[in-house]
Amino acid sequence: MARARKASSSPVSAGNPCPFLRALVAQGLLADGVEPLGKVTSTIVAVARTGEGSPALPAAAIWAIALIAHGLNPLTMARTKREGLRLSGLRDGPLDKHGAGSGILDANGRVVARELARLDEFASEQIGSSGQSERGLTLAQIRRYMDANFERAEGRRRALDRKLMDGEWPVLLKVMGRDGSGGRYLSVADVRTLVVDRELPKRMTQALAATV
Ligand code: HEM
């Protein structure tokens, strides 16, 4: 698999609303354009493996999510299967919650500072495995955050949106989380790095570089 770029970051289209995929594009692991579903899946699985405790993501489920990302209509799915995932064109597909999520990225892919600050309101002080203290969210806090995001979107949300969230923040916790004294937590600083700098935590990019 490709080595993550270090010095410069590749441009990422506004049409990619997924903070995790945006970092993979910025770090040169996936193209901003079209990528075969197999490559998208293997890249995500390989990156996940560099997380703390070597998290294993289910390849078949990721492949299936990528397959439906541009639409559920059989013709659209056949095209996605044949041509691949268009990372620059993920908006307005079935996975787009149209603002019913965190709101950390606006519709143009820009970071909304007050929404990023709001994430911290759901966090608490966590003690990491090496004894460091930092702000982070446990799974219970992530669930409260997702429930609040869903609540405030009343009138402009689909019931499905709450289910989709379960495949976003909790998966990010699994991949990027750290083992702390109170269980696994998602570091607020790591989320900030992911969305603002479009970078994975340094410990993950270093582990990734060591695998090639
Ligand atoms: C084929 C794989 C994937 C596709 C097609 C995809 C697509 C998307 C899309 C379209 C959104 C925007 C949803 C919205 O309107 O808020 C999104 C958001 C998100 N995704 Fe992904 N994603 C994929 C994999 C992942 C993975 C592996 C992770 C975690 C490691 C992840 C974490 C997130 C998070 C945290 C959000 C933000 C939700 C929010 O702001 O509330 N995604 N993704």
Side-chain angles (χ1 to χ4, degrees):
M1 80 161 294
R3 185 189 286 262
R5 285 188 195 180
K6 289 214 180 86
S8 62
S9 145
S10 303
V12 185
S13 293
N16 180 352
C18 175
F20 188 69
L21 294 179
R22 289 177 69 79
L24 299 193
V25 170
Q27 297 205 249
L29 295 166
L30 289 175
D32 190 49
V34 183
E35 288 281 22
L37 300 190
K39 180 171 177 196
V40 172
T41 303
S42 61
T43 303
I44 291 174
V45 169
V47 169
R49 278 279 182 203
T50 66
E52 222 168 89
S54 282
L57 289 188
I62 293 168
W63 193 90
I65 290 166
L67 179 69
I68 62 156
H70 296 302
L72 296 159
N73 155 326
L75 282 177
T76 308
M77 281 169 48
R79 186 175 167 203
T80 306
K81 190 176 174 191
R82 194 175 62 241
E83 296 178 2
L85 185 72
R86 212 164 1 93
L87 287 109
S88 57
L90 289 171
R91 289 196 189 272
D92 294 332
L95 305 174
D96 189 346
K97 301 195 298 299
H98 293 282
S102 71
I104 290 176
L105 290 173
D106 72 12
N108 296 310
R110 285 184 301 242
V111 176
V112 180
R114 69 168 185 283
E115 297 294 353
L116 187 52
R118 178 175 164 272
L119 174 74
D120 189 69
E121 292 169 18
F122 293 83
S124 62
E125 213 59 38
Q126 306 287 336
I127 312 290
S129 49
S130 45
Q132 83 281 12
S133 168
E134 61 175 335
R135 303 284 297 170
L137 291 89
T138 60
L139 182 58
Q141 289 167 326
I142 284 174
R143 288 205 180 110
R144 278 200 283 281
Y145 179 56
M146 297 188 302
D147 287 342
N149 291 344
F150 187 68
E151 261 324 293
R152 72 175 179 172
E154 194 173 0
R156 55 184 177 88
R157 67 188 186 201
R158 306 165 295 178
L160 171 71
D161 289 336
R162 182 62 190 81
K163 291 210 170 59
L164 286 177
M165 290 178 193
D166 288 334
E168 298 169 347
W169 293 101
V171 180
L172 198 60
L173 170 71
K174 184 170 180 179
V175 171
M176 264 178 35
R178 314 205 74 178
D179 292 324
S181 54
R184 200 159 175 96
Y185 70 90
L186 184 61
S187 151
V188 171
D190 283 347
V191 173
R192 174 175 291 276
T193 301
L194 186 78
V195 296
V196 176
D197 305 320
R198 298 192 286 266
E199 279 176 18
L200 298 162
K202 204 157 272 156
R203 60 182 184 279
M204 291 179 69
T205 41
Q206 280 167 353
L208 202 55
T211 63
V212 284

